[in-house]
Amino acid sequence: QVVESCVAAAGYSVGEFAALVFAGALGFAEALYAVKVRAEAMQKASEAVPSGMLSVIGRREANYKFACLEARKHCESLGIENPVCEISNYLFPDSRVIAGHLQALEFLQENARKYYFTRTSMLPVSGAFHTRLMEPAVEPLAEVLKSIEIQKPLVCVYSNVDGKKYMHAKHIEKLLVKQVVSPVLWEQTMHSVYERKQGTEFPYTYEVGPGKQLGAVLKKCNLKAWKQYNHVDALEDEEAAET
């Protein structure tokens, strides 16, 4: 009943493939293969440059783009050509993930107070995902997506790239490729998904999969919507079925 009455789906980063499979736009096996190619290509791109991702909680005064600009200037002073340091994930108000050259991220950590960052922590990842450092991964993913059949989704699926609904198959193909080098606009997506007239009830929201991180983000973005939130741990269900 929940599946039949579903009005929208969204997935965070690689989770967008799962949302598109759920909505009938991609076949499961084809999506799995595309994810494999995407992961391998992004890993290869990561190995080319020492880079990473920094989770940042900032005060209201925090200017993330200015901080990134100064971090890039610092990298240039170290002799790094075309340094990368940019926002790669918009999570919730006052929370961003910044990605780029390791030297830029280290600079931001050392100067956190100057930029009104209250907390910074390096993420346990191998590269600067969702930045232009991932450009070598674009072509391999584009080639795979050209070779698989993509349908118009049966329910609305929101894109990480612009926080708007996918319109048709070509649109999906184009934006899934663009997503690799574009920031994940998750906060903006949450606003799009839950925008409604005052007094209108919020829908039930289900986070499917391991962890409840997206639920925690939803609570920060929209407390009223979060009150209708539920978590479904797919791994627990599988284990229960096996026993």
Side-chain angles (χ1 to χ4, degrees), residues 36 40 67 100 115 128 172 195:
K36 178 179 180 284
E40 287 170 352
Y115 301 117
I172 292 169
E195 187 180 14

Side-chain angles (χ1 to χ4, degrees), residues 47-99:
E47 288 164 6
V49 177
S51 58
M53 303 180 84
L54 182 72
S55 176
V56 176
I57 304 285
R59 280 163 51 187
R60 287 244 170 107
E61 308 95 305
N63 185 332
Y64 302 95
K65 288 185 179 177
F66 175 68
C68 289
L69 174 66
E70 295 220 318
R72 289 196 297 272
K73 284 181 180 174
H74 168 72
C75 286
E76 284 169 357
S77 75
L78 298 176
I80 298 169
E81 288 183 26
N82 298 318
V84 172
C85 183
E86 55 200 57
I87 298 170
S88 62
N89 304 77
Y90 291 80
L91 296 176
F92 54 85
D94 307 323
S95 177
R96 305 281 183 270
V97 175
I98 295 173

Side-chain angles (χ1 to χ4, degrees), residues 88-220:
S88 62
N89 304 77
Y90 291 80
L91 296 176
F92 54 85
D94 307 323
S95 177
R96 305 281 183 270
V97 175
I98 295 173
H101 281 81
L102 279 181
Q103 295 91 332
L105 304 183
E106 287 161 2
F107 172 83
L108 291 178
Q109 282 194 295
E110 287 163 14
N111 295 277
R113 188 174 288 182
K114 176 185 175 183
Y115 301 117
Y116 301 103
F117 296 165
T118 54
R119 200 168 80 221
T120 62
S121 60
M122 290 294 292
L123 297 181
V125 295
S126 56
F129 305 134
H130 302 291
T131 71
R132 59 184 173 86
L133 286 175
M134 291 294 114
E135 275 171 7
V138 165
E139 197 55 40
L141 179 59
E143 286 302 311
V144 171
L145 291 174
K146 274 180 199 163
S147 72
I148 65 178
E149 193 178 350
I150 302 174
Q151 308 278 355
K152 185 178 177 180
L154 299 172
V155 298
C156 294
V157 180
Y158 288 79
S159 167
N160 286 184
V161 172
D162 57 10
K164 296 175 183 174
K165 298 170 190 174
Y166 279 116
M167 303 307 291
H168 48 74
K170 276 286 173 199
H171 193 212
I172 292 169
E173 184 185 322
K174 181 184 171 186
L175 291 192
L176 278 180
V177 172
K178 195 175 179 184
Q179 192 227 58
V180 172
V181 289
S182 303
V184 174
L185 304 185
W186 193 253
E187 181 185 341
Q188 295 87 332
T189 300
M190 291 298 92
H191 293 320
S192 296
V193 170
Y194 295 103
E195 187 180 14
R196 57 219 337 101
K197 288 177 183 170
Q198 202 165 1
T200 309
E201 276 191 33
F202 284 96
Y204 286 100
T205 297
Y206 296 90
E207 179 178 3
V208 182
K212 300 178 183 178
Q213 293 93 331
L214 297 180
V217 170
L218 176 59
K219 188 176 183 181
K220 299 274 190 182

Side-chain angles (χ1 to χ4, degrees), residues 194 198-200 202-203 218-219 221-229:
Y194 295 103
Q198 202 165 1
T200 309
F202 284 96
L218 176 59
K219 188 176 183 181
C221 288
N222 191 321
L223 185 60
K224 285 183 180 176
W226 175 79
K227 286 177 180 173
Q228 304 275 51
Y229 162 87

